[in-house]
Amino acid sequence: MNPHVDFHVHTLFSADGRSSMEDQCRRAVELGLQEVAFTEHLDLQPDDPFFGFYNREAYEAEFVRCQALFDGRLTLRRGVEVTYQQEFHDQIVNWLTGYPYDYVIGSVHAVRMEALFREDLYRRWNVRDTYTWYYEELERAARSGLFSALGHLDLPKRYSYHIYGPVPWTDYREQVEAVLKAAVATGTGIEINTSGLASRARETFPGPGVVALYRRLGGEVLTIGSDAHGTDQLGFGLGEAVAIAREAGFPAVATFSTRQPVLIPLE
Ligand SMILES: [Zn+2]
Ligand SMILES: [Zn+2]
């Protein structure tokens, strides 16, 4: 598989991480990866279970230590996965100022101050409201221009598949298009998040149809990431992501350094 990069990786610096940064680095080298972005969660809603966990000082110290430890074998990138919520827009701007991030993922994990991973949400909200409100918030994230890429573009699929059943993205074509157009206009990329392949939906987030639409709308910045929370998930499905990228007509996938995209041509 080419390129050998994973641009969505968590470590113990994320509340739901299961492996240390050093272990993730060691596994990356074993897998033949050349470049990895450690994108830890930043959550700003005070009653979120992850609130207050993000520790950038400790992350930085460990990042620098691992960088030295794996020098010449693995390139590490400073990343973050920000939960975008319009309610915390100004705080997010502050967090993204004054630290040398290479890569910033903007993800919608909550809508109307309610966390999307809570299953009871999908029993209280109908499918139309959930996806409509979700894409409205994601469009705000895209318009903000704050992010290198949007995370797992159709995330409700991860948590609601067994309740709503399959929800074709084409049911929300107008909204998905609005998100992607905003992303193109602001130079925001999207990712192919391969964790979806192991979810009930058995499809990347987003699936091939949305990736192809992004390309048709002029999208050029496409990253690939496993969203690994442990070494067992690192690098998962990236070959499939590259195949989807190629099929959609992308000549390259993107990595990031100092928040600038670096395009790696597909062989
Ligand atoms: Zn996420
Ligand atoms: Zn993640």
Side-chain angles (χ1 to χ4, degrees):
M1 189 228 7
N2 171 71
H4 306 276
V5 302
D6 192 335
F7 258 62
H8 192 149
V9 182
H10 296 273
T11 75
L12 294 176
F13 291 106
S14 292
D16 54 355
R18 292 181 283 103
S19 299
S20 70
M21 191 181 287
E22 184 178 338
D23 284 349
Q24 289 284 37
C25 288
R26 193 170 295 115
R27 181 67 185 141
V29 170
E30 274 173 22
L31 290 170
L33 294 173
Q34 290 160 352
E35 192 171 338
V36 163
F38 290 116
T39 52
E40 314 295 352
H41 289 295
L42 171 60
D43 298 280
L44 297 170
Q45 185 174 329
D47 63 350
D48 186 289
F50 295 179
F51 178 77
F53 193 87
Y54 187 63
N55 183 342
R56 196 159 62 188
E57 290 68 34
Y59 170 95
E60 174 64 20
E62 186 62 3
F63 185 94
V64 169
R65 193 183 74 82
C66 286
Q67 220 173 16
L69 204 57
F70 293 90
D71 186 38
R73 291 184 288 161
L74 182 67
T75 300
L76 278 53
R77 298 295 180 197
R78 288 177 176 82
V80 64
E81 181 181 12
V82 178
T83 295
Y84 183 81
Q85 292 176 270
Q86 56 178 327
E87 294 87 350
F88 303 106
H89 182 101
D90 294 346
Q91 282 188 51
I92 292 168
V93 172
N94 285 337
W95 272 100
L96 296 182
T97 307
Y99 181 77
Y101 288 113
D102 290 304
Y103 181 58
V104 177
I105 300 176
S107 293
V108 172
H109 294 118
V111 170
R112 301 190 167 204
M113 300 292 272
E114 297 222 44
L116 293 171
F117 70 83
R118 291 189 206 282
E119 278 193 19
D120 66 293
L121 187 87
Y122 307 102
R123 303 188 195 280
R124 288 184 286 120
W125 293 1
N126 67 52
V127 60
R128 178 60 57 178
D129 285 348
T130 299
Y131 274 89
T132 299
W133 296 338
Y134 172 78
Y135 283 127
E136 283 172 2
E137 188 76 326
L138 194 61
E139 189 181 337
R140 286 182 204 106
R143 281 192 193 293
S144 76
L146 291 171
F147 305 112
S148 314
L150 302 175
H152 41 57
L153 194 133
D154 53 4
L155 181 73
K157 197 165 76 176
R158 178 186 280 167
Y159 303 114
S160 68
Y161 191 86
H162 58 303
I163 298 169
Y164 293 155
V167 178
W169 72 270
T170 45
D171 288 2
Y172 299 88
R173 181 187 287 274
E174 263 179 43
Q175 282 200 280
V176 170
E177 249 187 69
V179 169
L180 296 175
K181 282 179 177 167
V184 171
T186 54
T188 306
I190 67 168
E191 69 166 1
I192 299 179
N193 185 308
T194 58
S195 69
L197 293 168
S199 76
R200 290 183 179 95
R202 301 271 163 215
E203 188 181 70
T204 53
F205 305 128
V210 175
V211 176
L213 178 61
Y214 173 64
R215 182 67 188 167
R216 286 201 299 280
L217 293 172
E220 294 178 346
V221 180
L222 179 70
T223 62
I224 57 174
S226 66
D227 209 350
H229 286 70
T231 53
D232 54 325
Q233 296 168 324
L234 192 69
F236 170 74
L238 294 179
E240 193 145 340
V242 168
I244 291 169
R246 194 177 278 127
E247 183 68 22
F250 283 87
V253 299
T255 61
F256 274 81
S257 175
T258 61
R259 307 205 56 180
Q260 299 302 311
V262 179
L263 298 181
I264 314 285
L266 295 174
E267 277 168 359

